Amino acid sequence: IANQAAKFEFFSNILNMNTAEIINHSGEAYSKSIVVEARYRLILEMKVLAPRQVPWQDWAEWHDCRRLLFSDVTYERRQGLDMVTLWRARGREPHAVSCTADIVELQLLDVPYDEDSSGTACSCISDGGLQLQYGLMLVRTVNGFVDQGQQGYYAESAYSIARKIGLPGWIVELRHDATHNVLPSLTVLR
């Protein structure tokens, strides 16, 4: 770590010098294009050395949140969702974490909570409401992963990008139906 920090500081000093200072500092005659290219390479090197900023404090917190989100205990899953809410407030939350939390939260909504007078289980949200929630979650999840793969001047199809990143085609088709056609049934969305 100390060596990386020293290297990072050296690169920062070089980037803050003007071209004449770099040429004079080295004691050799370099063309301006060589200096510009060297600065560009230094910037790339600094990006590799710079610490990646993530919303969790350490890997232990990340693993704890993962354990809570995938717990069988409802209270623990809610604790995991609270941790993700904190991470959202800190910023830079990865899309996969956001989608996982959205799915867990929707699963917690999608449980019967009471029985009506006839003994039938009732939910706090209607089937139509759940259908809309699942559809929105599906669209946002797939779009978020596929949008990261849009890199060219012309847009590539969601299906081809999904295939490249390993998303099954049926999920993309389901997203397409939820976006452009009739919203799929609640059974299919679940």
Side-chain angles (χ1 to χ4, degrees), residues 161-175:
I161 294 172
R163 190 174 55 227
K164 287 179 188 175
I165 63 174
L167 277 177
W170 66 268
I171 291 178
V172 179
E173 291 298 323
L174 198 59
R175 180 214 58 95

Side-chain angles (χ1 to χ4, degrees), residues 95 138-148 158 167 175 179:
H95 182 67
L138 177 69
V139 169
R140 289 181 52 83
T141 299
V142 173
N143 285 352
F145 286 117
V146 169
D147 286 348
Q148 294 173 10
L167 277 177
R175 180 214 58 95
T179 304

Side-chain angles (χ1 to χ4, degrees), residues 17-37:
M17 293 178 165
N18 65 37
T19 306
E21 288 174 325
I22 293 173
I23 292 171
N24 292 336
H25 181 70
S26 67
E28 306 219 5
Y30 293 112
S31 70
K32 188 174 182 178
S33 63
I34 291 174
V35 172
V36 169
E37 183 180 342

Side-chain angles (χ1 to χ4, degrees), residues 15-181:
L15 289 174
N16 290 329
M17 293 178 165
N18 65 37
T19 306
E21 288 174 325
I22 293 173
I23 292 171
N24 292 336
H25 181 70
S26 67
E28 306 219 5
Y30 293 112
S31 70
K32 188 174 182 178
S33 63
I34 291 174
V35 172
V36 169
E37 183 180 342
R39 279 187 171 173
Y40 176 73
R41 290 179 185 216
L42 289 175
I43 290 170
L44 293 178
E45 181 77 18
M46 286 177 69
K47 285 184 180 179
V48 172
L49 291 175
R52 183 170 176 214
Q53 294 182 1
V54 292
W56 46 88
Q57 293 182 2
D58 53 27
W59 282 110
E61 181 179 287
W62 188 88
H63 286 292
D64 191 38
C65 183
R66 182 184 182 283
R67 179 188 59 77
L68 291 169
L69 288 173
F70 289 98
S71 172
D72 292 332
V73 180
T74 301
Y75 176 74
E76 289 183 354
R77 295 178 89 187
R78 291 193 190 283
Q79 284 181 314
L81 290 172
D82 289 344
M83 289 177 80
V84 173
T85 300
L86 176 65
W87 293 354
R88 285 179 176 157
R90 291 177 183 163
R92 296 184 181 260
E93 174 196 23
H95 182 67
V97 172
S98 178
C99 295
T100 301
D102 292 344
I103 291 168
V104 168
E105 189 163 12
L106 191 50
Q107 288 173 338
L108 290 176
L109 283 174
D110 191 8
V111 292
Y113 76 94
D114 203 355
E115 292 184 359
D116 64 14
S117 58
S118 66
T120 307
C122 301
S123 177
C124 61
I125 188 169
S126 70
D127 285 353
L130 282 171
Q131 190 177 7
L132 288 170
Q133 292 279 348
Y134 275 111
L136 179 61
M137 182 269 310
L138 177 69
V139 169
R140 289 181 52 83
T141 299
V142 173
N143 285 352
F145 286 117
V146 169
D147 286 348
Q148 294 173 10
Q150 291 287 3
Q151 296 178 349
Y153 182 73
Y154 297 103
E156 202 172 339
S157 76
Y159 188 82
S160 64
I161 294 172
R163 190 174 55 227
K164 287 179 188 175
I165 63 174
L167 277 177
W170 66 268
I171 291 178
V172 179
E173 291 298 323
L174 198 59
R175 180 214 58 95
H176 183 82
D177 287 343
T179 304
H180 303 291
N181 299 326

